[in-house]
Amino acid sequence: MESRGGLDTNFQSSICPLLSHKTTFLFQLGDPKGKTVVGRIYRVVDDDLYVDFDWKFPCVVKRPTLDAHLYVNNAEVRLRILDLEMSTIFLGAEKETSLNEANCVLVGLINSPLGVPKSKEDFSSGFN
Amino acid sequence: MSLNMSLFSFAGRLIGTRPVNGTRWFHQTKGTLASVRSSEETAVESNQNLASFEEEDLSTPDIEVDDTLEHKDFFGVGKLCSPSLLFQHKVHYGHKVTSLDPRMKQFVYGIRSSHVIFDLDIANYHLREALNIAAHIALRDGIILFVSRLPHCANLIEQTAKDCGEYAHVRQWRAGTLTDIKRLQRMECRPPDLVILPSAMSEFGSQHEAVREAAKLNIPTIGVVDSNCNPNLITYPIPGNDDSFSSIQLYCSLFKEAILRGKGERAKRLKLLEEELAKEQNIRLNKLKSLTSTLSN
């Protein structure tokens, strides 16, 4: 076994059981592209919603027109992941440039501190 | 009278209790002692003071800290962090594998969905070492500077530095802020004794200028290096996530705790030292008093 930063290498890495845990993001997801996840809005700047979904980077989405007033801090939203990190190696560059952002599409609102989303109301009334 | 004076100064030297304390302590106690004693005694004392003043080395006394180095984890900072705690704060997430710096390979556990995952045992080991160093430097009254270019964490880092009585630089880094400190500050300045970088990256995705400047000045650095950083110039690199707010929060709270532990130990030892010095001074004065009374008789 190769040496690992001056550590005793006789034991198994303690990250193994942590990673295989059921709730771990990214490891129960499989290929993240196209998967739907739940995120929480933690900052609103004009029409930009900063959503944290337990990943290294947050994602920034535009505020939709439907239920626009309900998208406030601590509102839970549903997101579809396109890319976990928006980064690329530009032509002529040696290093990769990253926006430090994930690329996601806003699917809808789950709940908001300000009230029940309209689309959800319609949905539930349709059943009754 | 002149004979008397020389006698007394001679007597003072005979007793040989040249205190280990410096001038700072001396000036503090002089006022209180003068009020108690008679004027003649004060004159004698001041002469004595003057005599010893010349012999005194002007360095202020400092606490003994050598015994702390024998202990492997003197401040108990090793118990502050564990792999599971690091995992909770998302320290294991790295950047995409296409941006992996080959010098960071030694810290990597594996790759998942084209993202680097750090080995948290290694990260924990390095974080512990770094916390230990920070606490030791705080114990030795070193100046600690937090440097980073993280707009979303700037407030947090400044607040951390404020809480532990140290300094932070989270704004735009002007070239020579450390190396040419005299010109930029327009006065003589003492550079920091330790630079802590919660993120070793600058805002443009290159290495932070402070790393190179600190390396030039031989100032030790503690830096969190993500998978796209170069750990070579950093004295104590910590592999880990430097983008998430929660992981920066974790680093800040851990370093704050370590520095406060170092400072607490320093305060404790300073108090002991002052008590010891006061005791020594008292013994010395008592000896002098008894000597003066026997001589006058």
Side-chain angles (χ1 to χ4, degrees), chain A residues 14 16 33 59 63 68 85 99 116 126:
Chain A
S14 57
C16 280
K33 198 177 176 187
C59 77
R63 190 201 295 268
E85 185 183 356
L99 275 182
V116 188

Side-chain angles (χ1 to χ4, degrees), chain A residues 3-7 11-16 18-19 21 24-32 42-43 52-58 83-87 89 95-98 100, chain B residues 83-84 87 90 92-99 101 106-107 109 112-113 115 117-122 125-126 152 201 205-207 226-230 240-245:
Chain A
S3 92
R4 297 175 2 200
L7 276 175
F11 59 89
Q12 206 190 7
S13 176
S14 57
I15 197 174
C16 280
L18 293 169
L19 286 178
H21 195 264
T24 308
F25 178 77
L26 186 64
F27 296 91
Q28 297 302 310
L29 215 57
D31 183 11
Y42 71 93
R43 188 169 295 152
D52 172 48
F53 57 102
D54 241 16
W55 169 237
K56 182 178 166 81
F57 305 107
D83 193 359
L84 283 176
E85 185 183 356
M86 287 215 269
S87 68
I89 301 173
K95 287 185 85 177
E96 190 165 83
T97 310
S98 174
N100 288 356
Chain B
S84 57
F87 188 83
K90 309 183 209 167
H92 57 296
Y93 289 140
H95 284 271
K96 261 188 184 165
V97 69
T98 43
S99 66
D101 192 297
Q106 49 183 328
F107 306 124
Y109 175 73
R112 173 79 189 194
S113 316
H115 276 270
I117 303 294
F118 288 113
D119 193 326
L120 289 182
D121 286 321
I122 300 176
Y125 169 81
H126 285 280
H152 58 293
M201 288 298 260
S206 53
Q207 192 178 46
D226 212 325
S227 62
N228 55 356
C229 299
N230 173 10
N241 180 359
D242 67 355
D243 295 294
S244 299
F245 187 69

Side-chain angles (χ1 to χ4, degrees), chain B residues 138-158:
Chain B
L139 170 68
R140 285 155 180 79
D141 204 20
I143 293 176
I144 296 166
L145 179 68
F146 289 82
V147 179
S148 84
R149 278 301 285 167
L150 295 166
H152 58 293
C153 301
N155 200 13
L156 170 74
I157 291 162
E158 276 183 339

